[in-house]
Amino acid sequence: MRGAAAWFATAERERLVEPYDVLFCSSFLALADLVGMVPELSLVPKAIYFHENQWEYPVREERERDRHFGFTQLVSAASADLCLFNSAHNRD
């Protein structure tokens, strides 16, 4: 999740600047980071699918949660034109 946008922006840049009808991605991609690194994507409609919710994802140990992933998903949602969820629980 932390490196996917940078990888796509460098390794797949030629394919990302082609004209697209829609950019469909999962919540494991920091969408705002990708659009910031490949500004050609700013005009492409963006849909993001949330399979899980990082704000409530179970942690293995009793400790303070790393909020980075939750904030990344929140900013990605704000960057998308359409947000899709696998369940009402994750959406709510």
Side-chain angles (χ1 to χ4, degrees), residues 4-54:
W7 184 85
F8 279 113
T10 55
E12 299 293 321
R13 183 163 183 75
E14 288 88 29
R15 289 202 280 181
L16 288 175
V17 296
E18 295 177 10
Y20 288 100
D21 295 327
V22 67
L23 173 63
F24 185 86
C25 62
S26 81
S27 60
F28 290 106
L29 174 71
L31 181 57
D33 292 351
L34 180 63
V35 173
M37 290 184 275
V38 186
E40 294 88 349
L41 294 174
S42 64
L43 299 177
V44 177
K46 291 164 278 305
I48 189 167
Y49 172 71
F50 291 86
H51 174 71
E52 57 193 29
N53 176 338
Q54 291 296 323

Side-chain angles (χ1 to χ4, degrees), residues 64-76:
E64 188 172 340
R65 179 183 298 275
D66 178 357
R67 302 277 183 210
H68 177 269
F69 292 123
F71 280 110
T72 299
Q73 284 189 335
L74 183 64
V75 173
S76 290

